[in-house]
Amino acid sequence: MPLFDLSLDQLHEYRPDRAEPGDFRSFWDTTLAEARSHPLDLTLTEHDLHLPLVEAQDLSFNGFGGQRVRGWLLRPRGLAGDLPAVVHYLGYGQGRGEPLDWLAWPAAGFATIVMDTRGQGARGGTAGATGDQAGSDSPHVEGFLTRGVLDPHDYYYRRVFTDAVRAVEVAHALDGVDRSRIAVHGSSQGGAISLAAAALADGVAAAMVDVPFLSHVARAIEVTDTRPYAELLGFVRTHRDRVAQALATISYFDGMTLAAHAHVPALFSVALMDPICPPSTVFAAYNHYAGPKEIDVFPYNEHEGGGTHQSARQVRWLRERFA
Amino acid sequence: MPLFDLSLDQLHEYRPDRAEPGDFRSFWDTTLAEARSHPLDLTLTEHDLHLPLVEAQDLSFNGFGGQRVRGWLLRPRGLAGDLPAVVHYLGYGQGRGEPLDWLAWPAAGFATIVMDTRGQGARGGTAGATGDQAGSDSPHVEGFLTRGVLDPHDYYYRRVFTDAVRAVEVAHALDGVDRSRIAVHGSSQGGAISLAAAALADGVAAAMVDVPFLSHVARAIEVTDTRPYAELLGFVRTHRDRVAQALATISYFDGMTLAAHAHVPALFSVALMDPICPPSTVFAAYNHYAGPKEIDVFPYNEHEGGGTHQSARQVRWLRERFA
Amino acid sequence: MPLFDLSLDQLHEYRPDRAEPGDFRSFWDTTLAEARSHPLDLTLTEHDLHLPLVEAQDLSFNGFGGQRVRGWLLRPRGLAGDLPAVVHYLGYGQGRGEPLDWLAWPAAGFATIVMDTRGQGARGGTAGATGDQAGSDSPHVEGFLTRGVLDPHDYYYRRVFTDAVRAVEVAHALDGVDRSRIAVHGSSQGGAISLAAAALADGVAAAMVDVPFLSHVARAIEVTDTRPYAELLGFVRTHRDRVAQALATISYFDGMTLAAHAHVPALFSVALMDPICPPSTVFAAYNHYAGPKEIDVFPYNEHEGGGTHQSARQVRWLRERFA
Amino acid sequence: MPLFDLSLDQLHEYRPDRAEPGDFRSFWDTTLAEARSHPLDLTLTEHDLHLPLVEAQDLSFNGFGGQRVRGWLLRPRGLAGDLPAVVHYLGYGQGRGEPLDWLAWPAAGFATIVMDTRGQGARGGTAGATGDQAGSDSPHVEGFLTRGVLDPHDYYYRRVFTDAVRAVEVAHALDGVDRSRIAVHGSSQGGAISLAAAALADGVAAAMVDVPFLSHVARAIEVTDTRPYAELLGFVRTHRDRVAQALATISYFDGMTLAAHAHVPALFSVALMDPICPPSTVFAAYNHYAGPKEIDVFPYNEHEGGGTHQSARQVRWLRERFA
Amino acid sequence: MPLFDLSLDQLHEYRPDRAEPGDFRSFWDTTLAEARSHPLDLTLTEHDLHLPLVEAQDLSFNGFGGQRVRGWLLRPRGLAGDLPAVVHYLGYGQGRGEPLDWLAWPAAGFATIVMDTRGQGARGGTAGATGDQAGSDSPHVEGFLTRGVLDPHDYYYRRVFTDAVRAVEVAHALDGVDRSRIAVHGSSQGGAISLAAAALADGVAAAMVDVPFLSHVARAIEVTDTRPYAELLGFVRTHRDRVAQALATISYFDGMTLAAHAHVPALFSVALMDPICPPSTVFAAYNHYAGPKEIDVFPYNEHEGGGTHQSARQVRWLRERFA
Amino acid sequence: MPLFDLSLDQLHEYRPDRAEPGDFRSFWDTTLAEARSHPLDLTLTEHDLHLPLVEAQDLSFNGFGGQRVRGWLLRPRGLAGDLPAVVHYLGYGQGRGEPLDWLAWPAAGFATIVMDTRGQGARGGTAGATGDQAGSDSPHVEGFLTRGVLDPHDYYYRRVFTDAVRAVEVAHALDGVDRSRIAVHGSSQGGAISLAAAALADGVAAAMVDVPFLSHVARAIEVTDTRPYAELLGFVRTHRDRVAQALATISYFDGMTLAAHAHVPALFSVALMDPICPPSTVFAAYNHYAGPKEIDVFPYNEHEGGGTHQSARQVRWLRERFA
């Protein structure tokens, strides 16, 4: 895909109206309070990796609605003192996979939580272990983006973002973790969830947000027709009289609005030829972001963004920040 | 797609082992009894079509788990006496759409129920109105085929087939319907649901099953990689150690087994170049079908099968049968 | 396909030069006079549909050059008085198919003529019954758009539009039809033909024009390369020195020009992501339309436009207008 | 496309039933007699190529129905005595293009006729100059393969093959041509036409038939779904009750049958991975061919077959044969 | 591909900065001097074509690094006096193929050299005979565009352009050639090489440059993602920190810069819908071209540009020029 | 891709003729001796990863022709005693990327060498650092598979396999490595290189070969047309008279033959729906493999094979074997 969105100069200035709902804050306060009415009920089960350097535990806790959410906890062996931690959120369709998929942060000395995205993790080779025990009141396109999209209380990402906040609480509840040094990280859908955690959870000290999904959604469906945004496009093409209702639901979850409520230091990345998460939708979130921030721009890349190149950069950035 | 499956001669003889679970009958007896513990609670609301010939009602009833299922009831105007009825089930992804989408059976003099497939109906232009209020305990591929596929009690089609049986009960509960002349009909996923209704519901007098999906699934994922079977292929590619478990779940829902439990007269159709529902999987059901049966073979067609050509044939077939 | 054409604001103002040939009116007067030199010679043959609500007749008449054109006549049963009528024209490649394909207008109380597009109707499942008995003097790309494109007298759509005018005359010639309430309707190619009939036929009382093809063609081949416009693109790519000649031919058939000659009330529809009939080409016709007019805009849809959703709207619109 | 058809050993033995119509010979005798009732009326117009080595003339003559068929006549300059000649027929969609496209045979010392295929030549860069002045009585798929396919008298290739025979008569009518050394040549559709000319024309001394189309058509539509065979597939998918009628029409034009009526020395070529003209359909013609014959097999090629490599071989083969 | 680049008006004015390296001239002087340190060592071997009008010789000479480069020499037979000559360069991936592929210039009376592009000629049916005996110091994407792209001395096209200059020297060294009438010609990659030869070789009298590749490369990778430019896009997506280095290398080979150093009369062609060599990149070279110039614009064509239509035009243009 | 190759039962018995060249052993002995005439000249440069658990060094050594080959050396920190080692070879097109890409073996306690594949590593996000300093004498398709394919001495994989043997020698030369516990590992092209190292290098104690490429190549190009085998298909389609020569070259490098010369314990994996490296070509190598062996079969997977699932299995397998 060649360049198809705004120019880099325009992107740096691009700050569209957020369409933030008046009750945004109370919606989330109520949602999280309800979730916290269930005990976190963290369980950790040894998972033998046969790795001398890293130990793994199968982790589960109560997320939204008191429903169980699974994940991994990986810890570097042999490091002294309380460890800093990273909570890692996953891309669309991915599951927690194998511990071997997530060795970078433990190798860098971080206790690492990898959180399943409920219901996801059944393709692409990375198996999930968490169902979405809640149904939805309205029909939806195959996929997760339009589940319950006609009502913010019924919307799928209300459950996922709540799970994400609780996963930060899990990090705080772990032995051997330094609670002042907990970061969140993710790419694409994982970037969206990271933004949500940075905005909604307490005790997050840094956020790394790569090519985030679910940001400036009303524009996204006008400039791209790739999956997963195409799911929403499919919905509004079929439910022609429910477009405003669907977009109103999403406004509680849009990265632009969440960004405006996040205050921790953040490192974003964006790719200027990204047809999955178009750069204008990423900059829309970045330019609204309320905390200290940097963004790495990859001018020729598509949705792969900075790849492992960016991972190495993030290790350096986070270690400096947490030094 | 050129010919890719067995020859027509082989197809007529093809009768693979059904792998029917020992508790198949009791599984369904228990499932349906549970559903019937909820009252049917049928509601009908006038829907003004502005059509002098056909009247429509927005229909809803309690399906699986007592959850509301929506649909349409269409009736021809001006015909005397109790009407025969057709319960129509939908293809994958479709919703009940507009009453205008379903005029053939009413024009042919049948009271017509169009049942939403829970959760579906958000793309392809035919909007549904029914959510799937139940979640699933395990992760799944985008789509519906692998929802809850690790446990037959949790499986999506347990809910759908139960809804389908209850939709037949709705037909029996309607005023002005001749209960001895109730037929079921559907194509693709709708064909699978029709087979299920023919096998599991009481008071079905005829079944029309076009290019049915969800039949001989273990073979389907070896001979085709098109959607929706590709969803299951995605699952077994990722959950490499859960293949047997997934196939065991599906064996409670496989068209081959359901066919062996159905005894009403049936008219099938099949297309020999169908890459979505390969002909060997259709004949696997047809050859196991336990009632009087005919099959119309379209040697050059793909999944469109007989199209409206077959609809005209079905009108004649059913009117003769119900004369 | 994401948004790729003018913005909605620009579309409402878009009124390009029509390039109307000086002899446009006389070209058509002569053409129609020649056609009328042949008797209409309408024949109707009973076609047993087995439908208690609708009766069908196989219809044929003399179109351009006195050549036979086939179609269906469908009539609702049991309605008193002279009926209003709709003449329905088909999309590219479609044939008249089965009467079951066209039940909406009869169910709405309209005598309905479905006219074959000569030569078309051999794919897509809707069989035609009408050949194009005229050849063309020049080579053409596979398809119909470039047949005879080097001379307006030889051009394929000269024959089709003439057939369309004669089909309106058929409606006037039918028993039991109220000649003051005859409408034309079609989508895509059918929309183009409807525009032509509204402009060129006498006794049309309303026009419904969905996502029309063959409008502002000179722009169409610059902004889209999808079929059928791609046929013309193929032609001008090969006959590099005949571009002006081909566009001059088409100017006698362009929807913009026809629109400027039509005066009956019209209901248009357009889809802003339509890659087949781009929105600027539709608005070019709409903004030139000379009669009372409305347009329904579908902001996210592609060429499916409003689908059955729009059909329901059209039934209401036309019944109000003909009440 | 990997290997998908019979093995080479099987191909050499493959000799399916020809399904030759009983009146095959009389059908063609009558057809050609009718054509010959029109004078050939050959015209040649100088076309200045600015080439010192080759001179070109724009050629036209009366083909089927006395309709004008265009082409090129190219002659090498400066060679003494009567020249041998090649009549060259074109691939599907091609037109006669520019004289520069056809320099190989003139450079090899042959007077060369390139015959337009009526109606074709509007894409792919090689412009034709010949319309198909005859229409067809039945609808057809976009393209030429199904024009008039419901009746052999109305079928498009009846006209084309008749034109081809007349083009051989043109070669005989030319000054400076040695009538005992006239060959026919073509690839794909041109191969089919060459076979027809070899079978039906008088005074052909050799035939070169590359990867011929329109042979063993009943099998072709079962083993490939590529264009142009896909046009017929589209037709039989739509006109489900006209399959036998369409295949009966084509049996008068099938390369297998024509091959059995051809007796001049022939050089065929075939490519084993050809998805356009599958090798079994080519060998079906070759194995039925009634004259002296050779076939060059390209085991890894697709429809490009032997390309210019084969052209060089044909120059050697034909020069030896005509030495 | 519809129009996607600048408008024709804009194109005529488009003259971007060339980013010409300061040592451009000395880079090439040194490069060519080094090449000329090897004797040309021309060899010609008879190749029997069996063509009375054209004779062919298998040609080889020392190109860059004294490495052997192969090609064809074709000569018209029977023309008196010294002949004008054309050196023809090939498109990406092509090899010299068969002499039969290159008959137009000989038929037009020109001695014709067809030069292999080292390493290329192994697909697309036109076999090459020349390896690239030099390796590269850096990794590269499959293909030729990024070979050695991190250093101008190591870059693949340094070798190719040097070969091209030496091929002009071959033309000068041939018996029977009029050294004052030597032209260069090529399309796409061949157009790029022609530009290079026009700029860098002595004794070129005219250049024909069709839809040239490798021009204004920095823009090309922003407006198209088709091959071969996609190879460079792949490189900069992976070697994210080497973008400037890669573009700096290419600046020694960019058509814009070469054009500014060429002074002989030139005939360009460009196609406005060309997705392979976008029109703005072609006009960038054309508008910088320093000699007398014309450009033929094909408004609807893609990369095929003017095809044989343009070949006929070039024959006329060059014969007039060399008359 | 559905199942397209032999059945699993057939695969277990599939043992085609190897077509081993008579001088296979001496060809490789001579090749390796020549390489060893250059000193290994290993250099290691610290590369600061900022990872407390793993240290990395930028590694280079003299491979084929004494040319420098780059790679990474990763070592787990804090483990006592000499470490076992893995030499890891890369898939087609990949480069050594970032150390973060290769953490599994170090985390499992192995010194790990990742060897660049010369010339590769410029797309797909994993950058290489090694050029292929040798050219080839013959033209080739874009890519690496056909470089020098007309002569085994000139063939690209002669250089790569030699580099691979030298990389094993590097492992033996490292401090802190237990020379009795050195394994080789790779997937796809990396699997082919691993097989070569197992067959040709001294001092390999175990081999892990995932879905290997370059095995039973003569069959591969008949059953698949995907990249990279498609490169060879492109070559033989163009160089129609060089097929035997190309296949004779490859016989020195074919996995089947190499397998017959390897004697160390091996763990293979294969995927039955793999269109890149078809299962029959993998089993051809496995069934000829001369040492103790196991194979993991993934019945539904494509070329991703066992993915990280298999990595976890390999860690266990190798640790047991090296315990």
Side-chain angles (χ1 to χ4, degrees), chain A residues 52-53, chain F residues 76-84 109 176-178 181:
Chain A
L53 267 59
Chain F
R77 292 188 205 267
L79 298 183
D82 282 353
L83 298 171
V177 161
D178 174 354
R181 293 186 295 161

Side-chain angles (χ1 to χ4, degrees), chain D residues 5-312:
Chain D
D5 203 339
L6 304 179
S7 72
L8 187 54
D9 285 350
Q10 292 169 316
L11 290 169
H12 278 298
E13 300 304 318
Y14 188 63
R15 200 182 156 90
D17 181 73
R18 290 204 307 273
E20 178 170 329
D23 63 343
F24 174 82
R25 204 65 244 185
S26 70
F27 171 83
W28 280 110
D29 288 347
T30 307
T31 294
L32 295 172
E34 192 282 335
R36 288 177 186 128
S37 72
H38 303 276
L40 193 55
D41 196 13
L42 171 64
T43 64
L44 294 170
T45 312
E46 212 56 38
H47 179 93
D48 188 359
L49 281 186
H50 307 274
L51 300 186
L53 268 59
V54 178
E55 62 185 348
Q57 286 168 298
D58 191 323
L59 168 160
S60 77
F61 63 93
N62 283 335
F64 178 91
Q67 294 155 357
R68 298 305 285 173
V69 176
R70 303 278 293 279
W72 298 118
L73 172 62
L74 284 82
R75 290 181 198 253
R77 294 189 204 264
L79 297 182
D82 281 353
L83 298 171
V86 169
V87 185
H88 185 80
Y89 305 109
L90 302 174
Y92 197 82
Q94 278 194 304
R96 64 175 190 168
E98 300 282 338
L100 286 179
D101 290 315
W102 315 108
L103 295 176
W105 288 119
F110 292 81
T112 305
I113 291 171
V114 178
M115 181 188 95
D116 253 353
T117 318
R118 54 169 62 216
Q120 301 186 23
R123 62 164 170 82
T126 52
T130 305
D132 182 14
Q133 292 167 323
S136 295
D137 281 339
S138 56
H140 62 90
V141 172
E142 287 90 332
F144 300 88
L145 182 57
T146 63
R147 283 202 190 177
V149 76
L150 295 179
D151 182 336
H153 295 85
D154 194 30
Y155 192 45
Y156 171 76
Y157 283 104
R158 182 173 177 239
R159 304 193 288 275
V160 171
F161 287 2
T162 299
D163 295 345
V165 169
R166 300 231 83 189
V168 173
E169 295 171 6
V170 165
H172 280 263
L174 292 171
D175 291 336
V177 161
D178 174 354
R179 300 178 184 188
S180 70
R181 293 188 294 161
I182 293 174
V184 292
H185 176 220
S187 182
S188 195
Q189 177 186 265
I193 303 174
S194 298
L195 258 182
L200 302 174
D202 296 325
V204 171
M208 291 161 292
V209 179
D210 293 316
V211 292
F213 179 56
L214 208 56
S215 178
H216 201 0
V217 176
R219 177 176 169 87
I221 58 172
E222 290 186 350
V223 298
T224 189
D225 61 354
T226 58
R227 294 224 149 214
Y229 281 124
E231 296 175 7
L232 181 57
L233 208 41
F235 187 88
V236 296
R237 282 175 177 166
T238 297
H239 290 272
R240 294 172 176 88
D241 47 3
R242 299 290 183 86
V243 178
Q245 188 177 350
L247 292 178
T249 291
I250 291 175
S251 69
Y252 288 86
F253 307 89
D254 197 292
M256 282 197 296
T257 294
L258 290 159
H261 291 263
H263 299 278
V264 303
L267 175 62
F268 281 69
S269 69
V270 65
L272 300 192
M273 294 181 177
D274 184 347
I276 312 295
C277 296
S280 60
T281 67
V282 174
F283 269 96
Y286 179 73
N287 289 334
H288 278 294
Y289 193 83
K293 60 191 174 188
E294 295 171 68
I295 188 163
D296 291 330
V297 178
F298 295 94
Y300 298 101
N301 285 88
E302 297 193 340
H303 195 51
E304 73 283 357
T308 317
H309 182 91
Q310 184 68 358
S311 304

Side-chain angles (χ1 to χ4, degrees), chain E residues 3-58:
Chain E
L3 288 178
F4 67 100
D5 204 338
L6 304 179
S7 73
L8 187 53
D9 284 350
Q10 292 170 315
L11 290 169
H12 278 298
E13 300 304 318
Y14 188 64
R15 199 182 157 90
D17 181 74
R18 290 205 307 274
E20 179 171 329
D23 63 344
F24 173 82
R25 203 66 244 185
S26 71
F27 171 83
W28 280 111
D29 288 347
T30 308
T31 294
L32 295 172
E34 193 281 336
R36 288 179 185 127
S37 72
H38 304 274
L40 194 56
D41 197 12
L42 171 65
T43 65
L44 293 170
T45 312
E46 213 55 39
H47 179 92
D48 189 358
L49 280 185
H50 307 273
L51 300 186
L53 268 59
V54 178
E55 63 185 347
Q57 286 168 298
D58 191 323

Side-chain angles (χ1 to χ4, degrees), chain B residues 291-309:
Chain B
K293 60 192 173 188
E294 296 171 66
I295 188 164
D296 291 330
V297 178
F298 295 93
Y300 298 101
N301 286 89
E302 297 193 338
H303 195 52
E304 73 283 357
T308 317
H309 182 92

